[in-house]
Amino acid sequence: MTVSKTAVLVLDSTDPETLASFYAALLDATVEPNGDDRELLLISGTTGIVLGIHHDSGHAPPSWPRPDDSQQSHVWIVVAPDALDEAEREAISLGARPLTAEQNGTRTDRRTDVRRYMDPAGHTFMLAPARGLAR
């Protein structure tokens, strides 16, 4: 019998409560501590999204992109295609910072309509349209 399991992307932060609040508001989700572990906050929503925010007092924001190595991780937040502009306004109002083409390391390509940002702690994330999602 296979043991039931799930995967959780965990982001490090010197201020996990603030970062967890950012993602909870952006994803219309809730924040809960991981049981008695106050170092890890779990964000979950009605769509089953789970994201972890871990306290790391020595955390330094990622340097992305760096020419000498590849991006390590980032979060894709998928939305209905017709809600992309609204999702972008919401993310920015919550403290997201759009990445410029130079910071992206790529030319802007609106054919894909993937929009790239940094969260308040400097992690990169994308807003991307998902054809199967309804508004």
Side-chain angles (χ1 to χ4, degrees):
M1 179 177 188
T2 302
V3 174
S4 179
K5 48 184 107 37
T6 190
V8 176
L9 175 64
V10 177
L11 300 175
D12 290 335
S13 176
T14 57
D15 185 3
E17 292 83 11
T18 300
L19 190 59
S21 294
F22 168 81
Y23 278 109
L26 186 62
L27 299 170
D28 192 26
T30 59
V31 178
E32 297 289 331
N34 184 35
D36 292 335
D37 182 1
R38 298 293 180 193
E39 295 289 304
L40 178 63
L41 300 174
L42 295 176
I43 301 158
S44 59
T46 58
T47 60
I49 296 167
V50 178
L51 179 66
I53 308 295
H54 177 257
H55 180 257
D56 179 355
S57 58
H59 171 72
S63 174
W64 180 78
R66 293 191 320 213
D68 56 337
D69 60 7
S70 65
Q71 175 177 309
Q72 294 180 6
S73 68
H74 60 281
V75 177
W76 277 64
I77 299 172
V78 294
V79 299
D82 64 341
L84 199 54
D85 290 337
E86 183 179 346
E88 178 175 55
R89 286 189 296 273
E90 182 180 9
I92 290 170
S93 75
L94 292 167
R97 298 179 312 259
L99 289 171
T100 65
E102 293 79 28
Q103 290 169 308
N104 275 333
T106 61
R107 289 180 278 117
T108 302
D109 184 353
R110 285 299 183 186
R111 290 176 297 160
T112 61
D113 220 11
V114 172
R115 301 179 189 179
R116 295 161 175 85
Y117 308 88
M118 291 174 100
D119 68 23
H123 304 101
T124 57
F125 74 95
M126 289 28 169
L127 290 175
R131 303 290 177 244
L133 291 180
R135 203 167 219 255

